[in-house]
Every structure is written in C-alpha cells, then in structure tokens.
Amino acid sequence: MATKRRLKTEHAQFKKTPPEGVTLLTDDPTSTRWIVQIAGAPNTVYAGETFQLQLSFSDKYPFSPPEVIFLDNPPQHPHVYKNGHICLSILYQEWSPALTASSVCVSILSMLSSVSKKEWPIDNDSYMARWRISRHGPQKTLWDFHDDTV
Amino acid sequence: MSEGKDEVNRDQEIMAQMDAIKKEVAESAPLMSDVMDTSTLLAEYGDPLFTTKIKSMLDAFPKMRKTRGDGNCFYRAYAYGIAEHFAAHKDKLPGFLETLKQTFDMALAAGYPEFTAEDFYETVQEQFARLKDEPMEALHATFNDDGLSNYIVAYFRLVTAAHMKTHVDDFLPFLEGGETVAAFCARAVDPFGVDCEHLQIIALTQALGVAVNIAYLDRSAGETAAQHVIPDGQEPLVFLLYRPGHYDILYPPPAVAHT
C-alpha cells in the first residue's frame, strides 16, 4: 500500500517538475516499471546523445532501491557496463528511502557529466563474461565502489 | 570462463546467505516484542562476565522489550520508547509534536526533497498524535506494522542526518579520515538497515530533545553494566539496553510499560 501511494505521488511529481535533461516516458501512474530518457548535458562528452533508463520498483520500495539499468545502447562510461548495469552506490548500499526516482536519474546524469572521455569500465570484459553465464540483475552483484571521483 | 563462473557463484551465494539471514530474523521475532522479564536474558549467556552484569541490573531494570535485529533497532526502539513516554505523559505530547514539526523544517533546510520528507513526517506526526486520545496499545500495533513502522524509522534517520548536516561544526571533528558530514550521512545514516552508532544517537537525541539512558552489556571490564545518558546531563525519558550491534528497551520499576 505504501509502495503504491509513494509511486503514484512520485510519478505525478516527476511528470509535473522533471529535472533538466530528464523525461519520464511512462504515462501509467500505476506502473512499477518506468522508462526514463536522459539527455547528455551540453559541453560534456555525451552532449547531443540520449539514453534510456529502466527503473523497476519492488513492493519493498522505498525501503529497497529501484533496480536501475540502461536499456539498449548504454553510454560508454567507466561505471556503466555494456549490459546496462550501473555501478553507483546510491542504487545499492547507499540507497535511502529519502531519495526518489527523479533524484536517482539526476545522480546518473551527473555521473555522466563528470567524465572527460568515454571509456568502458576496466573490468567490463570479465563482468560481462560472468553476466552471460548468470544473467543476474545488478542488485545481485556485490559492488565495490572504489572510485568516488567519477 | 570457469573463474568467472566461480565468482558469480560466490557473489550469489553470499547474497543468498544474506537474504536467508534477513528472512530468518524477520520470521523469528516481531519488530517490537511484548514486555518480558529482563532475567530471561540470563538464559542467552553462559559467560559469567555477562551473567554477572545482567544480574547487576535486574533491580534497576526488571522488565525489557525486545526489538528485531534488522539494523534499524536503535531508531525503532528509541521511537517506541518516546511513544510510551508521551502515552504516559499526555500533557507533554503537544510540545513533542511541535518539536517534530521543527525537525521537518530542519529536514527541508538540510536539502531533503520536500515530498519524501513530508510523506515520512506526516505519517510520524499522525501516529504520535493518536496518543492524545488513544492508549499505547494502538501505537504498539503501529510499531509492528511493517509499512508504518518503517516510515517512522525512515523519518528518524532523516532527522538524524538533517541535524548533522545543519550542525556540521559539532560533528565534523568526530569524523575520521577526512570524511565529510554529507558522506557520513550517505554511508551511515540514510541507508535503511545500517546500524546506529554513537554520533547518530547524539544527533537524534539532540534534535528531538529526548534524552536516552543506555546500559551497555558488553565485554568491557567490570561487574556492572556501564550506563550513559545521551545527551549528557539531561533527564533520560527512554531506557535502552545495548548489546554489541543491538538495542532493546529496558523498564525501570514500576514498569511504565503496558503488556
């Protein structure tokens, strides 16, 4: 009940006042799987490009984080794997119920804006090899957040 | 390839194990138990260091109430203790509700998004306000309702972090390794299920103006459980028992607890 009420409020708020460069494409306020489009910020290496995020909410939301992945062609970024998984602490250990879907998207956009060149994560190949076997979701990875600067 | 597979298996095994532990804890204990004799703790310990300390506090705290060990126990136990106090002192409840309102303003000043903070605040305000004309039993049900109980925990965490962020100078000197208050809150206050330590307790008790007495049942030397009041020098309204990694509620005689 708490999950549904919260999502409905967030959906309305997100539609009404979307953060700059972030658009909620899902119209159904009762959906538990949202598609969000984010636009690379001007004067960054992703300027002019758009990406799609999928946010999936469990019935434990907001006490558990939404599962967030990039769809299709994820941005080439040191914290984004080729399968769309994102290594960002607030999506896992540092999630807080005071955060929102909208604030998560803003954090991801700011993560993109903070790099000066496009690179895949250094362990992309081994991560992808493991993922091809397991097909695990990103929340089933024990992430190691070693780099706070990017 | 085989190495990758092992690593996947190891990650998933660890995650499955953590899930299993959480589930076991959830199924074995209510969020807040009924009142019980503090002496029942004796059966949990064989070590004389602990049994001696437990016996030493039975006169001061003959009764206790257990909290589920889910990493939120301090916040939940403290909130429960506050509710019990104002259920027994209804004349002081309006003052506390006013303090709660101020903490909401503080949360906004600290930069928390208004509508999530408001969602938690309104739930807490609404539940505590019920004590005006309802007994503690009503709130006991609230504290054992996953959704409502977790909203209260979430709000108390938010107040803790907001107080630290709006009183940076008071807390920064205690952080280690050059960590900022914002980073500390993101790591050790905001996330649901992360244990509460001394700094968080200072922040939360200061923000709510309700002092807590903590009896420490740990391996430290001595035949009695050490006790500390936080914030120092104030009259405690809530009494808690600390065992490494966990908090429960204690009751001095005569028990103010309902059963």
Side-chain angles (χ1 to χ4, degrees):
Chain A
M1 178 213 85
T3 305
K4 279 186 186 155
R5 190 188 64 187
R6 162 84 177 234
L7 277 179
K8 214 178 132 203
T9 321
E10 275 203 49
H11 189 278
Q13 190 84 11
F14 204 150
K15 283 283 187 189
K16 204 174 90 191
T17 52
E20 198 175 339
V22 181
T23 315
L24 172 57
L25 300 180
T26 305
D27 288 326
D28 177 6
T30 64
S31 173
T32 55
R33 184 161 294 186
W34 296 4
I35 307 296
V36 172
Q37 180 167 293
I38 62 173
N43 305 317
T44 70
V45 291
Y46 305 101
E49 294 181 67
T50 59
F51 306 97
Q52 289 200 346
L53 290 167
Q54 173 183 282
L55 289 75
S56 309
F57 305 92
S58 77
D59 58 5
K60 298 212 168 59
Y61 186 79
F63 300 104
S64 289
E67 182 192 274
V68 184
I69 56 170
F70 276 106
L71 295 176
D72 301 327
N73 297 306
Q76 189 179 359
H77 182 281
H79 291 175
V80 181
Y81 293 86
K82 284 185 180 171
N83 62 356
H85 288 192
I86 306 164
C87 179
L88 180 66
S89 58
I90 58 160
L91 297 180
Y92 314 103
Q93 281 95 321
E94 295 195 353
W95 165 257
S96 150
L99 296 171
T100 63
S102 162
S103 64
V104 160
C105 295
V106 170
S107 296
I108 292 171
L109 188 55
S110 124
M111 179 186 90
L112 293 186
S113 300
S114 66
V115 292
S116 51
K117 63 178 174 189
K118 295 183 181 180
E119 280 175 316
W120 293 112
I122 32 176
D123 61 339
N124 185 68
D125 291 350
S126 62
Y127 187 78
M128 290 299 291
R130 270 146 48 202
W131 179 73
R132 279 189 201 101
I133 300 164
S134 68
R135 296 283 160 173
H136 63 287
Q139 293 178 343
K140 294 289 175 199
T141 302
L142 284 174
W143 295 101
D144 186 12
F145 308 103
H146 32 69
D147 186 357
D148 295 338
T149 58
V150 176
Chain B
M1 200 60 128
S2 67
E3 192 192 324
K5 194 166 184 172
D6 284 349
E7 211 168 320
V8 169
N9 288 341
R10 199 203 54 210
D11 268 23
Q12 315 241 305
E13 258 170 40
I14 296 173
M15 306 281 279
Q17 227 166 36
M18 295 192 312
D19 286 349
I21 292 170
K22 272 187 203 161
K23 200 167 160 232
E24 197 183 306
V25 168
E27 284 168 359
S28 65
L31 288 169
M32 298 301 304
S33 80
D34 290 337
V35 168
M36 57 183 79
D37 289 331
T38 307
S39 58
T40 55
L41 282 180
L42 288 168
E44 294 179 31
Y45 295 92
D47 189 332
L49 179 78
F50 287 103
T51 50
T52 308
K53 284 188 180 180
I54 294 168
K55 283 176 189 158
S56 79
M57 50 186 236
L58 293 179
D59 285 341
F61 303 109
K63 299 279 183 187
M64 69 177 294
R65 184 189 303 276
K66 287 188 174 175
T67 312
R68 186 187 293 170
D70 61 358
N72 295 312
C73 53
F74 177 84
Y75 297 97
R76 211 182 309 270
Y78 178 62
Y80 191 102
I82 292 175
E84 280 191 312
H85 175 79
F86 291 111
H89 302 84
K90 290 185 192 293
D91 55 316
K92 301 210 177 85
L93 181 62
F96 180 70
L97 295 178
E98 180 55 33
T99 305
L100 270 182
K101 188 176 174 310
Q102 288 163 8
T103 60
F104 174 61
D105 297 336
M106 183 177 69
L108 297 188
Y112 281 95
E114 178 165 0
F115 94 87
T116 47
E118 193 168 33
D119 196 20
F120 299 138
Y121 165 70
E122 281 179 352
T123 302
V124 173
Q125 182 79 19
E126 194 179 296
Q127 292 302 317
F128 276 81
R130 291 174 68 188
L131 291 172
K132 280 178 201 162
D133 38 39
E134 289 183 72
M136 186 59 203
E137 279 78 0
L139 271 277
H140 181 78
T142 292
F143 276 94
N144 275 305
D145 173 294
D146 266 344
L148 292 172
S149 199
N150 289 344
Y151 262 57
I152 294 171
V153 169
Y155 188 68
F156 274 43
R157 284 184 178 278
L158 204 144
V159 169
T160 306
H163 184 83
M164 292 185 78
K165 288 175 179 176
T166 51
H167 297 78
V168 169
D169 293 345
D170 295 349
F171 294 96
L172 196 58
F174 299 100
L175 300 183
E176 289 167 9
E179 190 173 32
T180 63
V181 167
F184 178 83
C185 291
R187 176 178 67 77
V189 186
D190 291 334
F192 204 69
V194 173
D195 283 337
C196 185
E197 289 167 50
H198 196 69
L199 274 191
Q200 292 91 314
I201 298 176
I202 293 174
L204 182 58
T205 52
Q206 280 180 355
L208 293 178
V210 177
V212 61
N213 180 90
I214 302 177
Y216 294 85
L217 185 54
D218 55 20
R219 293 213 147 268
S220 60
E223 299 193 331
T224 56
Q227 293 187 45
H228 295 288
V229 176
I230 308 173
D232 204 10
Q234 293 185 22
E235 193 204 336
L237 306 183
V238 176
F239 298 84
L240 299 182
L241 170 67
Y242 171 81
R243 291 183 278 166
H246 189 66
Y247 290 91
D248 296 301
I249 301 181
L250 289 173
Y251 296 102
V256 289
H258 70 96
T259 47

